[in-house]
Amino acid sequence: MIRNILAIDDSASMREILRAAFGSAGYDVTVANDGEDGLEHALAQRFDLVLTDLYMPRMGGLDLIKRLRANPSYQETPILVLTTESDEGFKAAVRDAGATGWIEKPVDPELLVDLASALGEAS
């Protein structure tokens, strides 16, 4: 079951959209503004779902995913990439890094909440 979500994006407006959408659906949401900040949160507290942007300062999404997957606590955790990228090379790189999947921006907040619910039911 998914209860705690870590949402990482360097866009303040995107962080607020994610916080509002998941918060209003009853999830506990922690936001981070880049991969390093997100990794610090992930190591300090266990999350049931991680949403991350791809291109961010200090540490990007692919490096973050690799670091999380190297941690035993996050080897099975769903990790979704929120991105404007859509090409097949990108999709392969995301899969190789260990992401569960990706969603192209702009995102539909209701779709994300539904997806989190479905991932929670599958686990």
Side-chain angles (χ1 to χ4, degrees), residues 12 17 19-20 26 28 30 41 46 71 74 76 79 81-82 88 98 115 117:
I17 288 168
R19 183 193 318 261
D28 293 325
T30 299
H41 284 290
R46 176 77 174 86
N71 183 310
Y74 286 96
E76 300 298 322
I79 301 174
V81 175
L82 307 177
E88 291 303 315
L115 182 56
S117 178

Side-chain angles (χ1 to χ4, degrees), residues 13 17 27-28 31 34 38 40 45 50 56 64 86 96 102 121-122:
S13 61
I17 288 168
Y27 293 94
D28 293 325
V31 296
D34 63 36
E40 288 176 21
Q45 176 186 345
V50 177
M56 299 177 287
L64 171 68
S86 63
D96 290 347
W102 59 89
E121 291 170 7

Side-chain angles (χ1 to χ4, degrees), residues 63-77:
D63 288 336
L64 171 68
I65 294 165
K66 291 174 187 175
R67 301 272 304 268
L68 288 175
R69 289 297 188 218
N71 183 310
S73 296
Y74 286 96
Q75 289 180 349
E76 300 298 322
T77 302

